[in-house]
């Protein structure tokens, strides 16, 4: 009896230790591309309440870092892609580390553990734009971390997308994995450096994206529950059988590492997740199924066939829905959160091991008053239908209407009037319930009765923290600012801002650049002060590109439908990009004008992003 009791106790201790190890290996990504952000301290408390000990952010924003200060949560900060060329210079790398790591390295500061050097810089869609600067940037950041005394605790890594490795078409199995031919050399440099520095390679794996847009992909193969009853045909690779795409993808990378002699290099998952709206396969039920399998595997320490029993550090993507992200890849982009925009959990999760349970919701959330903007039932007129359509387009160009799409939470749940009301309310809430935001040429009215219908939720937004303007709104404001000035062209721009008598102000073009920089919510506005023309335009370009960075990353994974890319946007024939603009509101169109913007060597995905984020401001 005593022996049996000891056996049971030992088993319980082993299980508890395994769950503790799994929780310690689990992180989450805190994205901030929202029209109205929760206060950083509220989000930091949400992380702590749900047992997250690790978090990844896509920059080192001061407000976000202030929220993390004193929490003890291990943090991965990031150097955005648009700064890779800058930190490839040692002096600039030293400044970056001082501002974003050393600055927070004190008792009660932020526990920075990783610096992500770029985000998927070798994406095929980037056309090699960052190939030459990523490795120098990585070396400089780690060198400066070492010199500053952080190197033993803080490691630089490079998050890569799964498109940097593949298997040959003639042998499509994980054991044949290799690095993509055009980046094989630079990837070998990266992993060898990481091996010498004692860092991990970071890879982003999205099984949902294998399924999205690929009707022939077996649904059950995207999950971890044995193929949902054996419906998905497994992949047989010699003596190994793969029953899910995650294991097959991960082991393809392991094989690629073996080919360069580094099959032992530790790998962590920088992004993995499942969206809950915006596509017929993006549902809370399927997300719950995906996370249940993933978290169960982490708790069991199962590893993968080529790395059995391996402890894999994982960052879930993401924490909260972000309603200002680009939808170029798909409407699901705004619905990756484990929690809704206001911190409400979507489904049960086993975040601490054991049985799944509903996560702890955010505490201390302040909401705007309980009122909604809907289509006025008395709206009439011969042209009412046309005006409604125009204004719905206007609202959805500036707010999140992705739930109205086919197969989405509100798709088919509302009639035409309900769709219009949803769009009007989304815009009204995004604008902080400003009185002028619920007019739409007299077609809308404010009500105090909840307009939600069934599973289609008409939200009331949060008060917000006064955080920097999210990228989509920032880009729209950039377009509006720049469009105020006629004939904006590099050859004529010096005449825009003039003192009395029509004389050009000596800082004319830099002021335009500063306006663009301000509108894009530069993290350090002083960088856009009046200065030399090249420096000011460069500052504007950096921050405009930064606003587009996450969209460019995801746009590269899935080609958006042709109609989402204006025909006038193409690879620039020179150092100037030109877009056609239709100025004014839906009610009053104005003639087309051209806007010339100093072009940076951004990839085509960023061009698409700029076009999508700015065009609504003038449409």
């Amino acid at each position: 009896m005593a022996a049996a009791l000891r056996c049971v106790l030992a088993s319980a201790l082993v299980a508890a230790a395994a769950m503790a190890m799994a929780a310690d290996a689990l992180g989450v990504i805190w994205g901030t591309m929202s029209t109205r952000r929760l206060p950083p301290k509220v989000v930091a408390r949400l992380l702590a309440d749900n047992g997250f000990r690790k978090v990844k952010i896509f920059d080192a924003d001061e407000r976000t870092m202030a929220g993390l200060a004193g929490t003890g949560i291990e943090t991965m900060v990031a150097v955005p892609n648009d700064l890779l060329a800058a930190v490839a210079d040692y002096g600039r790398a030293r400044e970056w580390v001082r501002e974003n790591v050393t600055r927070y390295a004190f008792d009660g500061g932020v526990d920075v553990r990783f610096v992500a050097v770029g985000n998927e810089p070798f994406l095929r869609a980037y056309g090699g734009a960052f190939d030459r600067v990523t490795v120098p940037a990585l070396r400089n950041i780690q060198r400066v971390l070492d010199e500053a005394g952080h190197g033993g605790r803080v490691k630089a890594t490079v998050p890569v997308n799964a498109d940097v490795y593949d298997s040959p078409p003639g042998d499509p199995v994980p054991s044949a994995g290799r690095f993509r031919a055009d980046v094989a050399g630079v990837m070998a440099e990266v992993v060898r450096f990481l091996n010498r520095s004692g860092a991990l390679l970071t890879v982003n794996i999205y099984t949902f994206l294998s399924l999205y847009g690929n009707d022939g992909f077996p649904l059950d193969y995207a999950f971890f529950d044995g193929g949902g009853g054996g419906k998905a045909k497994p992949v047989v690779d010699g003596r190994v059988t793969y029953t899910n795409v995650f294991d097959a993808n991960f082991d393809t990378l392991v094989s690629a590492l073996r080919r360069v002699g580094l099959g032992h290099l530790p790998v962590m998952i920088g992004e993995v997740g499942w969206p809950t709206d915006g596509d017929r396969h993006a549902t809370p039920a399927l997300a719950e199924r995906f996370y249940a399998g993933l978290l169960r595997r982490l708790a069991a320490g199962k590893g993968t066939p080529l790395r059995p029993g391996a402890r894999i550090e994982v960052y879930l993507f993401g924490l909260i829905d972000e309603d200002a992200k680009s939808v170029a890849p798909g409407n699901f982009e705004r619905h990756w959160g484990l929690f809704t925009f206001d911190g409400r959990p979507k489904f049960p999760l086993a975040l601490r091991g054991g049985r799944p349970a509903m996560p702890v919701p955010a505490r201390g959330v302040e909401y705007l008053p309980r009122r909604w903007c809907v289509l006025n039932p008395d709206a009439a007129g011969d042209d009412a239908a046309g005006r409604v359509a125009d204004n719905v387009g206007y609202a959805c160009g500036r707010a999140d209407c992705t739930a109205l799409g086919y197969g989405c939470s509100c798709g088919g749940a509302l009639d035409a009037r309900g769709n219009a009301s949803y769009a009007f309310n989304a815009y009204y809430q995004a604008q902080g319930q400003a009185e002028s935001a619920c007019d739409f040429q007299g077609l809308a009215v404010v009500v105090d009765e909840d307009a939600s219908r069934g599973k289609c939720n008409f939200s009331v937004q949060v008060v917000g923290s006064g955080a920097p303007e999210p990228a989509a709104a920032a880009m729209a404001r950039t377009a509006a600012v720049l469009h105020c000035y006629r004939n904006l062209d590099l050859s004529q721009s010096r005449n825009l801002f003039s003192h009395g008598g029509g004389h050009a102000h000596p800082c004319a073009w830099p002021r335009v650049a500063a306006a663009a920089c301000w509108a894009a919510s530069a993290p350090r506005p002083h960088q856009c002060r009046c200065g030399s023309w090249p420096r000011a335009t460069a500052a504007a370009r950096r921050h405009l590109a930064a606003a587009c960075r996450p969209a460019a990353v995801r746009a590269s994974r899935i080609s958006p439908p042709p109609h989402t890319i204006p025909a006038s946007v193409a690879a620039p024939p020179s150092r100037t990009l030109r877009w056609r603009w239709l100025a004014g509101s839906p009610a009053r169109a104005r003639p087309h004008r051209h806007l010339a913007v100093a072009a940076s060597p951004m990839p085509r995905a960023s061009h698409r992003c700029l076009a999508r984020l700015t065009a609504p401001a003038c449409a």
Side-chain angles (χ1 to χ4, degrees), residues 92-289:
R92 295 291 298 277
R94 187 170 55 189
E95 292 176 14
W96 193 94
V97 170
R98 182 174 64 245
E99 285 290 315
N100 299 293
V101 179
T102 305
R103 178 182 179 185
Y104 301 100
F106 60 90
D107 188 19
V110 181
D111 188 8
V112 177
R113 293 300 184 94
F114 291 102
V115 175
V117 180
N119 190 46
E120 302 181 338
F122 308 128
L123 276 169
R124 193 188 305 272
Y126 286 158
F130 305 109
D131 290 5
R132 294 185 178 181
V133 296
T134 301
V135 173
L138 173 66
R139 288 173 176 160
N140 282 339
I141 291 294
Q142 189 62 60
R143 174 186 171 186
V144 175
L145 289 170
D146 293 342
E147 292 173 348
H150 308 308
R153 186 178 182 85
V154 184
K155 297 297 182 182
T157 183
V158 177
V160 297
N161 184 266
D163 83 337
V164 302
Y165 52 88
D166 56 22
S167 297
D171 193 16
V173 292
S175 62
R178 67 208 175 162
F179 288 120
R180 205 176 71 222
D182 60 312
V183 296
V186 69
M187 278 302 304
E189 284 189 79
V190 167
V191 297
R192 286 167 184 155
F193 180 84
L194 296 176
N195 182 57
R196 289 195 301 270
S197 68
L200 293 79
L201 175 64
T202 306
V203 62
N204 301 337
I205 299 177
Y206 284 96
T207 62
F208 171 81
L209 296 183
S210 298
L211 179 68
Y212 178 74
N214 185 359
D215 293 335
F217 190 88
L219 174 65
D220 293 323
Y221 197 59
F223 301 95
F224 300 92
D225 47 14
K231 297 178 183 178
K233 183 179 179 180
V235 173
V236 178
D237 184 5
R239 297 182 178 181
V240 178
T241 298
Y242 290 93
T243 60
N244 68 83
V245 69
F246 180 91
D247 283 356
N249 192 311
F250 188 94
D251 280 358
T252 303
L253 171 60
V254 173
S255 296
L257 289 170
R258 286 179 175 178
R259 290 183 185 276
V260 295
L262 291 171
H264 63 282
L265 183 70
V267 177
M268 66 177 164
I269 307 301
E271 298 178 25
V272 64
W274 197 282
T276 56
D277 205 349
D279 180 70
R280 63 193 181 96
H281 290 132
T283 67
L286 290 180
E288 182 178 356
R289 177 184 173 187

Side-chain angles (χ1 to χ4, degrees), residues 130 133 145 165 189 294 315 346 436 446 501 584 604 612:
F130 305 109
V133 296
L145 289 170
Y165 52 88
E189 284 189 79
L294 175 65
Y315 288 82
K346 297 180 180 180
S436 60
V446 175
R604 294 175 71 94
R612 285 194 56 77

Side-chain angles (χ1 to χ4, degrees), residues 296-317:
R296 187 163 51 244
R297 288 170 63 88
L298 290 177
K302 186 176 181 180
T304 67
L306 293 188
R307 287 195 174 176
R311 176 185 180 274
I312 302 176
E313 192 166 323
V314 172
Y315 288 82
L316 308 181
F317 187 81

Side-chain angles (χ1 to χ4, degrees), residues 510-557:
R511 284 193 175 186
V512 175
C517 185
W518 161 78
S521 299
R524 293 176 179 79
H526 67 269
Q527 293 181 354
C528 297
R529 61 183 178 271
C530 178
S532 67
W533 184 358
R535 290 182 63 185
T537 54
R541 285 204 306 272
R542 281 199 306 274
H543 295 295
L544 291 175
C548 267
R549 171 174 46 83
V553 166
R554 306 235 190 285
S556 65
R557 298 177 181 148

